[in-house]
Structures are given as C-alpha cells and as structure tokens.
Amino acid sequence: MMEEAIKTAIPSSADGMSRIDGRAKVTGKAKYAAEYRPDGLAYGVLAGSTIAKGTVTAIDIARAEKAPGVLAVVTHFNSPKVPGHQKPKKPTKKAGPILVFNDNVIHYNGQPIAMVIADTYERALYAASLVKATYNKQAHDTKPPSDISMGIAPWGKDSVRGEADAWKNAPFKLEQEYVIPTEVHNPMELHAIIAKWDGADKLTVWDKTQGTQATRDDIAKAFNIPAANVQVIAKFVGGAFGSALQVWPHEIAAILGAKLVRRPVKLVLHRQDMFTSVGHRPYTWQKVGIGATADGKLVGITHEAVGQTSTYEDFAEGPINVSKGLYACPNVTTRYKLLSLNIGTPTWMRGPGEATGAFALESALDELSYQVKIDPVQLRLINYAKVDPENGKPYSSKYLDEAYKMGADQIGWENRRQEAGAVKKDGWLVGYGMGGGMFGAYRDSATVKAVMRADGTLLLQTAVTDIGPGTGTAMVLIAADIMGLPADKIKFEMGDSSLPNAPMQGGSATTATVGGAVYDACTELKQKFQKLIGNGGTDNPDYAKILSDKNLAGLDVTTQSSLGADAQNKYSMQAWSVHFTRVLVHPATGVVKIDKVVSVADSGKVISQKTARSQLIGGAIGGIGMALMEDAIIDHRYGRYVNNNFADYHVPVNADIPQMEALFVNKPDSHINAMGAKGMAEISLIGMAAAVANAVFNATGKRVRDLPITPDKLI
C-alpha cells in the first residue's frame, strides 16, 4: 500500500525507468577521464615524499632521466613556475593549498616531490621508482593529542542559544565522548586527468571533477589564461563523494607537464595516493552533554567537536550543526576546534560534518532514552521541531514525523525491547536501533538550453557533471513530464564546461538546481510553441509537425533559473532522514551482522524512483561502512598510512549487506522549485552510523563510542 502511494505521486514515466546511461556504462561505451586518447599521449607518474615533515635538500633524478622512454622529470628544482602560484599572498598563519613543485617544504608523507613523464605508463612508473630524495627531516605529528583543548576555533567564539551548558541542570543527564576515525572516499574510479595544450594559452582537460566550470575557473586562474580558453570535460565520473570538489596538486602537475613536454599528458593516481592527495573525512573527537526532564523534554545540549586539519591549510566543517537544529531544545551550546597535523588537508565527504555530528548526537539521545525509560522514537517526537530552532522560520516542508512511523512500521519496531540484551534468536543477540539526520536543502543557479529539433527530439544542455546518482535520468524524466514526450526522444548533454552554466555536483543540490532549470526551460519552450500555434493548441502538441508547418529547423530557449529571494528569506529549507536497523551480534565472537535496514527520506517529491532508491541504499551502505569497518590507520612513527589499499581498508561488500528497504515520504516542497524536489544524497548517510551503534547496544548492552565497532570492542 505504501509503495502504491509512492508510485502514484510521481510521473507515470518514472515507474521502473532505468538509467538512460546504464547501457553505455555496462558495455564500456561510457568514457571516463583516463580513457580518452588524444594523439601523442604521454604518461605522468608522481613520486612522493617518504617523510612527513621537513625539507627536501636534494633530488637525484639522473637515473630516471636516462631510463627508456622518459621525456622529462619535474621537481621543484627545475619546474616551470605556475603563474598564479607566484603572486604575493597576504600574511596568514597558514599558506593555503599545496603549490606543487613550488618549494622544498614537506607537509605530509606522500606529498608529491617529482613527476616522471614518459611515452608509456609502464616506463613512467619504473622511472619514478628511480627518483631518490634526501631530506632535512623534522619531528612530525600525525597523532591527535590526548589534550584536545589545544585546538584552534576556526569561527571564533562558541555558539550559545539560551543558557550555556544548561544540560548540567537537568534531572536526567549524561556526558559522553564519541570518536570518528579518518575515513577515505575510495571511489572505484581513481582520480585521473588528461591535459592537452593547443598553443601557449588554450587548454583542454579531461578530468575527474564534480564541477567542470569551477575546475575551469581554478585552472585558468592558476595558469593566468582566460577561462574561455580552458575546456574541462567530465562526461562520466565513477564516484567521488566530495573528493573531486576542488583542483588538487596532481591536476596542476599534469597540466604543467603537458606544457613542458608539448604533448598531452595523462596522470592517474595510485590507490595509495587516494589516501593522501585528494582529501578525506577528518578524524573528529566529540563530546555531547545532554539533559532532559522525566517526561523526555530536552533541557539542554552541549556539543563540542575537534577535527583534524593539515599544518598548511584549514578545513572546517560543521559536525555541531545537527545539535543546533534537529530538535526543539531551548538551550544549545556548541564549540568547534581544529587540530593541525602533518597530514594532507581533509575535504568534504558525503554528509560532511552532519554525518559525523549525527553519530554523536543520535547516540547520546539513544543513551538518554534508557535513562528516562522512553522509547527512542517517542523521545524524538516529544522534542520534534515544528519551526527552525535557530531562527524561528517555518520549514519549507517537513514530514519527518511521518518518516519515523513509516520506518518503525517497516522494521518491526514493536518487537524491540527497551532492556538491552533481552532478545535472542538462534544463538545470536538481536538489537534494534534508529538514527535521524538533516541537511540543508540547497538550490543554486543553473542555466539550461533546450532545443526542439525538426525530427521531434529534444536536446537539453548544461555543464553539470554526474558522479553517479543518475542526474541525466532525473532530468529526462522532468522534461518528459513537462513536454509530453517519451523519454527516448530526449537527450541530456552535460559534463562539458563549454555548455551553459551549472554548479558543482555537491551538497545534494543538483536535482533541485539543475532540475529546476530543466523544468523552467521546458516550460518556456512549450510556451514558445503555444505562441506559434495560437491559443487553440493542444497541451502536448506535435512539435515536429509544427516546425515543419512553420518551415523551422528547430526552436530553442536558454533559461537561467534559481531560488527566489522571497523563499530564501521566509523559509528554512532542509531535507530529513531516519534509518532503522536490526542487527545480530554473536555473543562469543562479537561479530555483528546487519539483519535488516529501512531508510526513509523526507526529501520532497521523488523524480526518479529507481535512482532515488539506489541513492538512499548507497548512502545507507556508506553509513554501515562508517559504523563497522572504515578506519584509515597511520603508523605514527613514520606518519604513513598502512592500510592504503582495498584489501586492508575495509568497506562493505555484498556479503555484509542484507536486503535493504528505501522508503520516501514523497510529499513535494512547493517552495524550493516547481517540481517540489529536494536532494537526498547526504541524508541517505547521515544518522546511519548511529542507527547501527544504537542497535548494537540494544543487542548487547555494550556502548561503543569510538568507531568502527569491531568484534574486539564487544567481547
């Protein structure tokens, strides 16, 4: 019955429709960044530092230069300078991003110190192994200190709503610490770039990026050439999760190398480089103090967090944000600091900040539920925020209470017992847990060109990339619904910076932003056709016949679309999620099995049922990895990752994942765009790790607050 309700609320064309690019991906027709073959292609391989802090005193490249097929060996000693990296900077405590081959200072183990360019990849790889450096080594620090008060507040003073640290005055209270280790994006597709210069100031780049135009602009600025002279192509991206939201040193290195050897250069990172060179979710220590009355009403929350960053650049996210806005609590105090370590700079990773913070907050709320003896779902409903607690604005839409009920019904929450360790099945302990989350529902500005061609096919163009969620499929479904066309008559062209403006794919904003522009462009194009045929026309006219009758080769519009200031000022826009889990824990071995997962999204209207389900399940699987497996481990003696590969950095595989259920409230948000659709990429992960941890406690009575939950912590 619930599934029927979902289906009837979305366009009939979306029922069961598969990805429009699915065939291209499974047959190999889809081309990723490393698969292009411009004439004269050469290959770059980076050599990294073997120390974590100090300076390079010398680099021996003689053997590498003499190796077969080598075209150049680039180091800071001989590198042409990148123009945009030479401008004087205003004095700051930290210089900012690594400027590759610009100086001899080493900030982390694995930092690029040389690049070999050769006529084949194998020759470049071999020659890179011949590069030897000597260093002035200094004492490094990669281990978070026990005294976390050493951190520096990136945003100045603490945030206080109501009374500071009011939780301490509550009749029922607790204070606990929670730790998220360093986690790495690890998409299957490695970061890769091909750079090709045409003369001195025209550049084509095939790149793994989440934003073709942002990448174009950053590259143009670095090399001091007009943005119009740079074309960035990213037709297909094999996962990124935030790791491709900026230009990294390897991209600048490849472009620099191509200019030096006057040939296109391809550079593909090794898997171990993915741990050091393209960011990660930062190790974060958190302390949550939370207090409530006997009836479960929250009195106060204090949420402190300290995240790691690099010694040369600050990266700050918002792990404390969920405590500010998820529940109606009158007194909320948050404190956030950064610790500078000899590591590469962290970056955004799916559910950035909120996923980390939700683990702490939702675990603490679960712990509180046992103190006040109130069911965890009921405790959340008691503290349900009907308006934004931060600013008092009404929500543009919120049906999280309905999501709670849907998920609880589907998981069989009535079978849960409030007493931990009370349920057994076939020798295994059984536990139920839940965790919720929120993330901003963003809509940026985007431009779409819509062209109806004489053969009755519709072409849509915009520069947005697709890192995997099925962007093209959703856009085609929106256009099909507006234009009254079958999906196979519509082509969505994207992933090229020369196309109309579009933002990066990040922050769960693509469907709301680009989808809103597709909707507006198709509406405008349809109105243009109606003007041609007059008021007596049908709602879904024969476009090809009209063009033929009017002797036109085609009709097009280019439409810019964004969220209106009125909606922005009046409403708080958020998307919401709740995850329910049932786990089995073996009492003798501590092995945890995920037995069932139900994830529910309150993210406005569902546009593409299949891809939305995949999105929600994929994020939840990421949350399972966060809860049970993921931990990037550094040998602090050397400041070097020791599990920087797919064999030793554990992520969920098929055997770890049960049949998972993805449900949607599926009620449109009429204020964010005409379709009523909001993003769900981040919320699909936010809250999931807490749901697993809470279920493990319910099964065993053992509370694990430092992820991942491994068997040794349960026996």
Side-chain angles (χ1 to χ4, degrees):
M1 190 171 189
M2 190 180 300
E3 189 173 324
E4 287 179 5
I6 291 173
K7 286 185 176 181
T8 57
I10 58 179
S12 59
S13 58
D15 287 1
M17 178 174 164
S18 297
R19 292 171 179 261
I20 60 171
D21 55 4
R23 183 176 293 275
K25 288 182 174 180
V26 300
T27 59
K29 185 179 178 181
K31 275 192 176 184
Y32 295 81
E35 297 183 301
Y36 290 86
R37 294 290 184 271
D39 292 340
L41 185 63
Y43 300 81
V45 171
L46 295 173
S49 163
T50 58
I51 67 168
K53 184 179 181 181
T55 55
V56 179
T57 57
I59 303 180
D60 183 358
I61 62 174
R63 291 181 63 203
E65 286 182 314
K66 294 176 183 177
V70 170
L71 304 172
V73 181
V74 184
T75 74
H76 77 275
F77 288 109
N78 63 7
S79 174
K81 298 307 178 185
V82 178
H85 291 178
Q86 308 311 308
K87 294 177 182 177
K89 294 186 174 183
K90 294 179 182 179
T92 59
K93 291 182 180 179
K94 292 189 175 181
I98 290 287
L99 305 180
V100 67
F101 308 142
N102 198 59
D103 59 37
N104 68 337
V105 181
I106 299 301
H107 301 277
Y108 62 89
N109 196 308
Q111 178 181 325
I113 60 169
M115 176 176 60
V116 174
I117 304 172
D119 58 357
T120 71
Y121 168 72
E122 292 77 12
R123 285 174 161 179
L125 183 64
Y126 169 69
S129 72
L130 303 177
V131 174
K132 305 298 178 186
T134 56
Y135 305 92
N136 177 14
K137 185 178 178 181
Q138 300 172 18
H140 64 265
D141 188 5
T142 54
K143 188 175 184 179
S146 55
D147 181 7
I148 50 81
S149 64
M150 294 170 60
I152 303 299
W155 301 321
K157 63 182 182 178
D158 304 340
S159 170
V160 178
R161 183 171 78 232
E163 180 186 344
D165 300 322
W167 69 273
K168 295 178 180 179
N169 304 321
F172 293 86
K173 59 194 173 188
L174 65 91
E175 185 179 43
Q176 295 291 353
E177 297 181 15
Y178 305 88
V179 174
I180 295 273
T182 296
E183 297 173 350
V184 184
H185 302 81
N186 269 327
M188 288 189 70
E189 183 199 19
L190 297 164
H191 276 251
I193 180 172
I194 298 173
K196 176 181 177 291
W197 287 92
D198 180 11
D201 66 347
K202 290 191 177 179
L203 175 67
T204 302
V205 166
W206 295 268
D207 197 11
K208 180 188 178 89
T209 175
Q210 290 176 242
T212 59
Q213 291 175 331
T215 295
R216 173 201 65 192
D217 294 345
D218 285 350
I219 290 171
K221 184 178 180 181
F223 287 89
N224 196 24
I225 56 178
N229 288 10
V230 180
Q231 183 178 12
V232 177
I233 298 168
K235 297 289 186 182
F236 294 91
V237 180
F241 314 112
S243 66
L245 283 170
Q246 66 192 82
V247 173
W248 295 103
H250 73 273
E251 293 165 279
I252 298 296
I255 297 167
L256 194 65
K259 197 171 190 68
L260 181 66
V261 300
R262 298 183 181 181
R263 290 172 62 170
V265 168
K266 175 164 78 170
L267 196 159
V268 181
L269 292 185
H270 297 158
R271 181 59 58 181
Q272 60 264 34
D273 296 326
M274 300 285 286
F275 281 69
T276 58
S277 299
V278 289
H280 55 270
R281 192 189 302 279
Y283 173 102
T284 306
W285 169 94
Q286 300 176 84
K287 183 190 286 184
V288 175
I290 189 167
T293 57
D295 60 0
K297 198 71 177 172
L298 290 174
V299 172
I301 301 171
T302 293
H303 190 162
E304 301 176 69
V306 181
Q308 65 174 190
T309 189
S310 67
T311 57
Y312 57 90
E313 183 180 15
D314 280 344
F315 171 77
E317 54 181 6
I320 39 79
N321 289 344
V322 288
S323 290
K324 293 180 180 180
L326 191 50
Y327 299 110
C329 181
N331 306 297
V332 177
T333 303
T334 58
R335 304 181 178 101
Y336 181 48
K337 294 181 179 179
L338 298 177
L339 284 170
S340 300
L341 301 172
N342 294 114
I343 57 169
T345 306
T347 194
W348 314 107
M349 186 169 173
R350 195 173 194 172
E354 280 80 356
T356 300
F359 167 64
L361 175 65
E362 293 295 86
S363 294
L365 203 64
D366 193 70
E367 296 196 50
L368 184 67
S369 75
Y370 287 91
Q371 275 200 31
V372 296
K373 296 182 173 58
I374 296 176
D375 177 87
V377 175
Q378 185 59 30
L379 184 60
R380 285 161 174 80
L381 290 171
I382 290 169
N383 295 285
Y384 193 78
K386 295 183 178 179
V387 298
D388 191 328
E390 276 286 271
N391 52 37
K393 290 182 182 180
Y395 293 113
S396 55
S397 74
K398 183 181 182 183
Y399 304 100
L400 183 57
D401 50 349
E402 295 183 31
Y404 288 151
K405 185 177 188 313
M406 291 168 66
D409 290 346
Q410 201 69 17
I411 198 74
W413 191 254
E414 71 276 6
N415 298 317
R416 176 190 179 274
R417 298 292 174 265
Q418 187 71 5
E419 179 190 353
V423 181
K424 293 184 179 180
K425 179 182 178 183
D426 300 329
W428 292 72
L429 297 167
V430 181
Y432 292 79
M434 56 90 67
M438 61 183 287
F439 196 82
Y442 302 113
R443 181 183 175 189
D444 299 316
S445 176
T447 301
V448 168
K449 183 176 183 179
V451 183
M452 182 62 72
R453 296 181 287 201
D455 60 0
T457 61
L458 176 67
L459 173 65
L460 302 168
Q461 295 178 311
T462 189
V464 72
T465 55
D466 180 4
I467 61 173
T471 300
T473 305
M475 300 305 115
V476 165
L477 285 169
I478 293 168
D481 191 48
I482 299 301
M483 300 297 292
L485 288 171
D488 60 5
K489 292 283 188 181
I490 302 170
K491 180 182 179 183
F492 185 71
E493 188 176 345
M494 61 180 169
D496 188 326
S497 63
S498 64
L499 296 174
N501 293 338
M504 287 186 162
Q505 183 159 86
S508 300
T510 300
T511 298
T513 300
V514 180
V518 167
Y519 185 102
D520 291 347
C522 288
T523 300
E524 186 179 342
L525 181 61
K526 196 169 183 178
Q527 290 170 348
K528 209 168 181 179
F529 270 98
Q530 290 292 348
K531 287 181 180 178
L532 282 178
I533 60 178
N535 294 331
T538 63
D539 187 49
N540 293 314
D542 185 335
Y543 301 107
K545 184 176 186 305
I546 295 169
L547 292 173
S548 177
D549 291 346
K550 300 294 183 181
N551 198 28
L552 295 172
L555 203 61
D556 66 85
V557 297
T558 299
T559 305
Q560 187 272 337
S561 178
S562 60
L563 179 65
D566 190 50
Q568 262 181 322
N569 294 332
K570 281 185 178 179
Y571 299 100
S572 176
M573 297 186 173
Q574 307 286 336
W576 316 88
S577 63
V578 61
H579 303 276
F580 288 84
T581 61
R582 184 171 67 221
V583 304
L584 305 176
V585 183
H586 195 277
T589 64
V591 169
V592 178
K593 286 185 179 179
I594 305 294
D595 190 49
K596 186 174 183 178
V597 172
V598 178
S599 295
V600 190
D602 174 19
S603 56
K605 180 179 177 179
V606 175
I607 299 298
S608 168
Q609 187 176 354
K610 267 194 176 183
T611 58
R613 181 178 182 275
S614 294
Q615 184 82 299
L616 198 53
I617 289 174
I621 291 171
I624 291 171
M626 175 186 278
L628 300 181
M629 302 165 191
E630 295 191 56
D631 185 3
I633 300 168
I634 291 181
D635 184 334
H636 297 297
R637 295 173 300 171
Y638 309 107
R640 182 185 306 148
Y641 286 102
V642 296
N643 62 338
N644 52 358
N645 55 76
F646 267 160
D648 298 315
Y649 183 87
H650 294 170
V651 295
V653 297
N654 287 347
D656 300 311
I657 304 301
Q659 183 65 34
M660 302 175 69
E661 297 190 43
L663 306 177
F664 303 93
V665 175
N666 201 28
K667 291 185 176 180
D669 182 335
S670 60
H671 301 291
I672 193 166
N673 53 49
M675 306 97 61
K678 297 190 279 195
M680 68 180 67
E682 324 300 337
I683 58 168
S684 65
L685 188 148
I686 296 168
M688 184 63 194
V692 174
N694 294 340
V696 168
F697 176 81
N698 185 247
T700 65
K702 295 182 180 179
R703 179 71 63 175
V704 179
R705 302 183 183 91
D706 57 323
L707 297 183
I709 304 169
T710 48
D712 58 293
K713 297 175 183 177
L714 296 175
I715 57 176

